[in-house]
């Protein structure tokens, strides 16, 4: 997986005037990966996380109330 720092390094190499192939060789990445992030339009986004309800959710208030009473 290509992290944010690798993408930053790809952009730095581009700004330094290196070609995509030279950047791929320097960073030990595939030329396709370098080409993918060369323009900066495709940045990896974190997938949204989904919180599934647990089995105890309907009983939480009751349990907390009983613990406070105790």
């Amino acid at each position: 997986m290509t992290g944010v720092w690798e993408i930053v390094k790809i952009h730095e190499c581009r700004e330094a005037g290196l070609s995509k192939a030279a950047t791929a060789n320097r960073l030990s990445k595939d030329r396709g990966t370098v080409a993918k992030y060369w323009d900066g339009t495709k940045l990896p986004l974190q997938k949204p996380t989904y919180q599934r309800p647990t089995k105890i959710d309907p009983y939480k208030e009751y349990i907390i109330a009983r613990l406070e009473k105790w």
Side-chain angles (χ1 to χ4, degrees):
M1 182 170 169
T2 305
V4 175
W5 291 111
E6 284 97 7
I7 296 170
V8 170
K9 289 179 184 178
I10 290 170
H11 289 277
E12 288 174 354
C13 290
R14 183 188 67 190
E15 291 170 3
L18 294 174
S19 67
K20 291 178 186 176
T23 302
N25 287 335
R26 178 174 281 194
L27 301 177
S28 301
K29 296 285 179 188
D30 186 64
R31 285 181 297 144
T33 303
V34 172
K36 183 175 170 182
Y37 299 110
W38 189 259
D39 295 326
T41 55
K42 282 187 154 183
L43 295 176
L45 299 176
Q46 183 179 4
K47 294 180 181 178
T49 57
Y50 173 70
Q51 288 259 309
R52 218 170 58 173
T54 62
K55 290 182 179 181
I56 199 171
D57 281 344
Y59 308 104
K60 274 186 181 179
E61 291 179 21
Y62 174 75
I63 293 171
I64 292 171
R66 294 291 292 184
L67 287 172
E68 287 174 351
K69 185 178 179 183
W70 185 66

